[in-house]
Amino acid sequence: STSPPMIICMSRRNNTSGSHYSKRFITYYIINMRLVTAVIFIGHAAAFAPSANRSSLRPVTHLNSADEFVVGVLGDLHIDPRKMEDYETGKSHFMPIFEEAKEKHGNVAIVSLGDLGESKNCDHNPESDSELFAGTSMCHEMAAGFLGSMGVPYDVVGGNHDLEGLDEFETDKENLEVYLKAHGKETPQFCRQIAEKTLLVGMGSTLFREAKFTSHEVTIDQQQIDWFENLVSTHKAEDGWKIFVFSHAPPNGSGLRVLQENHVVNGCCWLNHSNEEQCQKFINLVREHRSIKAWFSGHFHLGQDYQDSITFPTIDPKDGPYPNRGSCVFAQTSVMRAGTSRDGRQQSRLIRGNKDGFEICTVDHQKDGKVRVDATISYRGDTNEVGIYAHEDEAYEHDKYFKVYQPCAGDKLHPPDDGFKRYDVDGNIPRESIQTIIQLWIQLFSYSYFSDSMISFSSQHLMLSRILLLGGTCLAAVLLVCLTETSLNTIPPPSLLLDLLLVLMNLLVRRSVLSTLDLMPILVS
């Protein structure tokens, strides 16, 4: 018997041959359920057939049919051309998995979740010692070379750093064109059919310079949103379709662990964070269309050892109200390079699936590429499934360490940045650091407030203006110190107040706002 024709969303890049392919729609027919499925490329043909050999790399599993597929999911790469060792190590961990999958069934691909380059100067441009590597032509060409070197097709979604080539490009449009060209993409979004009625779908950020609020918000433009809505509307769960979605940041409502004091307060935590309507659109589509089976994201540089790095469509009633996440499992993806990890983990994701369900796994780059099954999802009909955590939460100190930990520069897991001021064990800044910080604040305040362009005194009001300026500024400084010190539950030391007053008066004299004689009564007091 034969089955009806199906549509395949082909990759825009076949990295095995190095050729570029536009997104094409190719019709194929399954000639016989027991025969090989033929998939025809222009100028390239490949036959996918199940293998009778059982892998030594993967345990015995029910996922063992002809429609089996494997997808490697890579988190934020942040490639630094000076530090390629971890990438080569990560590649060596994936290559045996991919080679086995190619031999066994051929349904294999890579998805990169964006942020391809390091957002620092990486000594990559001899003509500039300040240019950021992220978003440059060199960055995208190097990332394309790395992703393409693994011998399987890859797709990528844009992250918040992928259009950061500020010195090279004047506009987001110019930067986006180079990004798309480097990765053989026609559009920021992609669609790939990885197995029978199984789609890999991705959407990427398209704004940086032109972002309304913060450049590092992951913004999916309206054209991509409309495209995605049409895709899920026309590939229904009732017709047997299963869709795996990929984006740099997760949608709001996913239930994944986030960094409250970093991404949330800065408005760059979730997709389209600052646009309430668009921000809610993604989770609403997930709730409406049960063909969306999983959604993978990165962005936070957090590990995969915690159970809230994966969230299921429903939860135990004792843990809270029904989350209403449709039929979708959300999964956080870690990083490959040590220098980019916020919690010390170096991990990637692996999806292994077929018509009966899928497994979400961790490839641990700190344990010689050990593959660990994190969750198993079994389909129960087209619109519901059962998910099971496959391992215990591996947080430090029974999860207390990570539950209360907010990664920040300067802790033992993240080397300090220049000018970093360390908090003490109680979460307070040491007194000497406060003094330095307040002095800097006053300098900035004084230089701007007393600049020549801002001050204009008439001769008859000069003395009154001097008194008001000095008194008001001193009062502001004292209030600033008191407020700051109140947060430390201590009394402001006289030495700190005197230092602040001397700094302020020195600045006033140097800016010719006050003369030395004006300050004598104050100094005597």
Side-chain angles (χ1 to χ4, degrees):
S1 62
T2 60
S3 63
M6 296 178 58
I7 298 298
I8 298 182
C9 304
M10 298 308 301
S11 166
R12 286 177 268 302
R13 185 185 187 98
N14 183 311
N15 294 304
T16 305
S17 63
S19 302
H20 295 265
Y21 295 91
S22 300
K23 183 171 68 176
R24 304 182 178 91
F25 295 98
I26 300 176
T27 304
Y28 81 90
Y29 295 86
I30 302 178
I31 304 302
N32 190 294
M33 294 297 288
R34 294 160 50 191
L35 298 181
V36 176
T37 298
V39 180
I40 303 174
F41 289 75
I42 295 177
H44 180 82
F48 301 145
S51 171
N53 298 326
R54 189 167 62 202
S55 168
S56 60
L57 295 177
R58 108 190 226 122
V60 177
T61 172
H62 68 283
L63 302 180
N64 201 22
S65 62
D67 57 352
E68 186 176 355
F69 63 92
V70 167
V71 181
V73 185
L74 309 185
D76 302 35
L77 288 177
H78 286 292
I79 289 175
D80 185 331
R82 303 165 299 181
K83 305 171 183 178
M84 296 301 293
E85 296 82 2
D86 285 347
Y87 304 109
E88 291 303 318
T89 299
K91 174 183 172 181
S92 71
H93 296 157
F94 271 110
M95 289 300 290
I97 300 171
F98 294 154
E99 291 301 320
E100 178 200 18
K102 287 194 293 183
E103 180 182 352
K104 190 173 184 180
H105 48 70
N107 301 330
V108 57
I110 297 171
V111 177
S112 170
L113 296 175
D115 273 10
L116 301 174
E118 182 68 283
S119 184
K120 296 179 182 177
N121 180 270
C122 298
D123 302 325
H124 60 284
N125 186 353
E127 298 180 359
S128 174
D129 60 0
S130 61
E131 181 186 57
L132 303 179
F133 183 65
T136 62
S137 297
M138 184 184 299
C139 164
H140 290 304
E141 290 167 2
M142 180 171 287
F146 171 70
L147 294 169
S149 69
M150 296 192 216
V152 299
Y154 82 85
D155 290 291
V156 61
V157 293
N160 53 294
H161 288 286
D162 290 320
L163 302 182
E164 203 172 9
L166 299 175
D167 292 346
E168 185 177 356
F169 306 104
E170 292 292 330
T171 66
D172 288 342
K173 181 181 178 180
E174 294 172 345
N175 211 157
L176 182 62
E177 288 174 352
V178 168
Y179 157 77
L180 295 176
K181 181 179 179 181
H183 299 287
K185 295 169 64 68
E186 293 181 349
T187 61
Q189 69 269 20
F190 74 84
C191 174
R192 174 190 298 278
Q193 181 159 337
I194 190 67
E196 184 177 353
K197 288 199 171 184
T198 304
L199 300 180
L200 308 181
V201 175
M203 294 171 284
S205 188
T206 55
L207 291 181
F208 189 82
R209 300 156 187 78
E210 300 162 22
K212 185 175 181 180
F213 293 103
T214 170
S215 294
H216 290 289
E217 179 180 359
V218 182
T219 304
I220 308 300
D221 58 70
Q222 188 61 48
Q223 185 175 356
Q224 289 187 81
I225 296 174
D226 294 341
W227 170 87
F228 180 60
E229 182 171 14
N230 178 69
L231 186 144
V232 297
S233 299
T234 54
H235 294 77
K236 298 181 179 298
E238 293 79 4
D239 296 330
W241 286 99
K242 300 168 181 64
I243 299 173
F244 293 76
V245 185
F246 304 86
S247 62
H248 182 67
N252 194 2
S254 62
L256 296 174
R257 184 189 298 266
V258 299
L259 300 182
Q260 298 286 344
E261 296 180 5
N262 185 351
H263 296 93
V264 176
V265 298
N266 290 316
C268 61
C269 183
W270 299 290
L271 293 176
N272 297 51
H273 190 132
S274 65
N275 185 315
E276 184 174 355
E277 181 180 354
Q278 291 181 343
C279 188
Q280 292 299 317
K281 181 67 173 180
F282 302 104
I283 194 65
N284 288 337
L285 289 174
V286 167
R287 292 165 178 168
E288 181 180 354
H289 300 283
R290 289 183 173 266
S291 57
I292 303 175
K293 299 303 183 185
W295 194 310
F296 291 81
S297 58
H299 192 43
F300 302 124
H301 300 213
L302 299 177
Q304 301 167 186
D305 292 343
Y306 319 101
Q307 287 192 349
D308 56 357
S309 68
I310 295 177
T311 58
F312 290 130
T314 188
I315 60 175
D316 191 312
K318 68 179 177 60
D319 295 329
Y322 174 60
N324 193 10
R325 292 192 280 260
S327 290
C328 185
V329 178
F330 291 91
Q332 168 73 27
T333 308
S334 185
V335 296
M336 186 175 285
R337 179 163 69 85
T340 63
S341 176
R342 280 194 167 98
D343 61 3
R345 274 85 167 157
Q346 293 171 253
Q347 299 163 325
S348 300
R349 290 286 187 195
L350 181 68
I351 311 171
R352 304 188 296 204
N354 71 359
K355 62 182 178 59
D356 297 320
F358 60 96
E359 298 168 338
I360 299 176
C361 308
T362 284
V363 179
D364 197 323
H365 303 301
Q366 293 178 323
K367 297 181 180 179
D368 297 323
K370 176 183 176 182
V371 177
R372 180 191 70 203
V373 178
D374 294 331
T376 300
I377 293 87
S378 300
Y379 301 136
R380 297 289 185 265
D382 293 324
T383 61
N384 60 84
E385 50 278 308
V386 176
I388 301 174
Y389 286 116
H391 73 96
E392 296 296 325
D393 196 306
E394 297 184 11
Y396 297 126
E397 298 179 7
H398 306 288
D399 207 28
K400 293 180 181 179
Y401 168 81
F402 194 72
K403 288 290 186 184
V404 300
Y405 167 67
Q406 292 294 342
C408 61
D411 63 28
K412 67 179 182 179
L413 298 175
H414 196 102
D417 300 324
D418 294 338
F420 169 73
K421 302 302 178 187
R422 186 180 299 279
Y423 287 79
D424 62 22
V425 294
D426 296 321
N428 299 321
I429 301 177
R431 190 181 310 283
E432 59 273 15
S433 297
I434 290 181
Q435 182 170 348
T436 303
I437 291 171
I438 294 178
Q439 287 175 338
L440 291 174
W441 285 345
I442 291 182
Q443 287 182 29
L444 291 172
F445 171 77
S446 300
Y447 278 128
S448 62
Y449 192 74
F450 296 121
S451 63
D452 295 336
S453 61
M454 296 181 64
I455 296 180
S456 176
F457 296 115
S458 61
S459 57
Q460 59 266 40
H461 296 108
L462 181 58
M463 182 56 68
L464 178 60
S465 299
R466 287 172 175 171
I467 294 172
L468 291 176
L469 282 171
L470 178 62
T473 308
C474 288
L475 178 60
V478 171
L479 288 175
L480 178 62
V481 175
C482 291
L483 288 172
T484 306
E485 290 291 329
T486 299
S487 67
L488 300 180
N489 298 317
T490 59
I491 300 174
S495 59
L496 177 58
L497 295 176
L498 181 59
D499 283 344
L500 292 172
L501 190 58
L502 291 175
V503 168
L504 176 62
M505 290 189 292
N506 180 47
L507 289 169
L508 295 177
V509 171
R510 283 197 295 160
R511 300 299 292 174
S512 301
V513 175
L514 295 175
S515 67
T516 306
L517 290 177
D518 293 329
L519 301 180
M520 288 305 295
I522 300 176
L523 290 174
V524 170
S525 301

